[in-house]
Amino acid sequence: IQLTQSPSSLSASVGDRVTITCRASQGISNYLAWYQQKPGKAPKLLIYAASTLQSGVPSRFSGSGSGTDFTLTISSLQPEDFATYYCQQLNSYPLTFGGGTKVEIK
Amino acid sequence: QVQLVQSGAEVKKPGASVKVSCKASGYTFTGHYMHWVRQAPGQGLEWMGWINPNSGVTNYAQNFQGRVTMTRDTSISTAYMELSRLTSDDTAVYYCAKSSKNRSSSPFDYWGQGTLVTVSS
């Protein structure tokens, strides 16, 4: 299953609302997770089951979608949110990740 | 607190093998699948496979079939990933990551710090 993220990069300011989309090449129900990765660090789980917030993750992060179309939204971008975000499907093997969306400072 | 601590960076010649370790602590090692994911320089994430630490059963991505071997030693709560017949395309950071539940399809809630493997003649 291929996951296509868009955009591949974006520039935004602190306080902006940011939306990242992830489209699956076939239906994956809600077997989708989102990760945040900062340079030189391992990915961090943000959201699983498409919309469930991982423990300890700020509530400004939210996820939605089912089937083939999913979104990750950051309601008010904070300085620590500048990073690359990946979606991952857990519906079928091989498990796959999207190509990533790099969120940069405007 | 959950920790996954990986072995240090490696430099290997083409055709060689590399074995990366991942020592787990802070949770029941045999209760969660361990996955391996790699990331080439400046690139995205690529899933390699998983091992069930309880049974030793493995599931490898087709891209790595025949070249990867995942094992574990439950006595020291450590998982291993060995990759053989290395080429320059295998230069990457290799991560271990545990499943959040006792299901192979659970998301990855904790990751190791990564191990850089460089393949160069």
Side-chain angles (χ1 to χ4, degrees):
Chain A
I1 296 175
Q2 290 189 325
L3 297 179
T4 303
Q5 283 185 237
S6 60
S8 55
S9 66
L10 64 91
S11 295
S13 300
V14 172
D16 283 353
R17 181 182 183 88
V18 168
T19 298
I20 298 167
T21 66
C22 178
R23 174 163 289 176
S25 59
Q26 62 190 75
I28 58 171
S29 184
N30 69 337
Y31 288 92
L32 190 99
W34 290 96
Y35 298 86
Q36 175 194 67
Q37 186 178 34
K38 296 181 179 179
K41 299 293 186 182
K44 172 188 173 183
L45 177 64
L46 298 177
I47 287 177
Y48 61 95
S51 60
T52 303
L53 200 64
Q54 173 68 355
S55 175
V57 173
S59 59
R60 62 181 180 273
F61 291 93
S62 64
S64 65
S66 183
T68 59
D69 293 312
F70 302 86
T71 60
L72 172 70
T73 300
I74 309 172
S75 60
S76 177
L77 200 65
Q78 297 302 300
E80 60 268 29
D81 301 337
F82 292 96
T84 300
Y85 294 84
Y86 294 94
C87 56
Q88 177 199 33
Q89 67 83 17
L90 296 137
N91 181 73
S92 61
Y93 293 108
L95 304 183
T96 48
F97 293 87
T101 296
K102 187 173 184 179
V103 177
E104 298 176 302
I105 302 172
K106 182 184 281 185
Chain B
Q1 69 287 16
V2 174
Q3 280 192 304
L4 299 176
V5 179
Q6 298 183 222
S7 49
E10 303 260 14
V11 179
K12 295 293 182 181
K13 294 201 183 305
S17 298
V18 68
K19 190 171 185 177
V20 179
S21 67
C22 172
K23 183 169 177 59
S25 61
Y27 72 99
T28 302
F29 177 66
T30 52
H32 298 260
Y33 287 72
M34 190 71 79
H35 296 258
W36 291 87
V37 175
R38 76 176 185 180
Q39 186 170 37
Q43 302 300 308
L45 301 166
E46 183 179 19
W47 177 77
M48 300 179 69
W50 55 250
I51 183 168
N52 179 333
N54 186 47
S55 64
V57 172
T58 56
N59 182 12
Y60 303 141
Q62 190 164 12
N63 285 353
F64 300 97
Q65 287 276 359
R67 281 210 304 143
V68 70
T69 304
M70 296 177 188
T71 57
R72 92 291 190 214
D73 184 340
T74 56
S75 68
I76 55 172
S77 299
T78 299
Y80 303 91
M81 186 284 300
E82 183 170 22
L83 189 63
S84 63
R85 303 195 301 276
L86 293 169
T87 72
S88 57
D89 289 342
D90 295 314
T91 294
V93 175
Y94 290 77
Y95 293 102
C96 59
K98 72 172 272 294
S99 65
S100 60
K101 293 186 170 64
N102 189 16
R103 287 201 317 263
S104 60
S105 59
S106 301
F108 308 161
D109 60 350
Y110 286 90
W111 296 61
Q113 83 276 20
T115 296
L116 175 62
V117 175
T118 302
V119 183
S120 173
S121 55

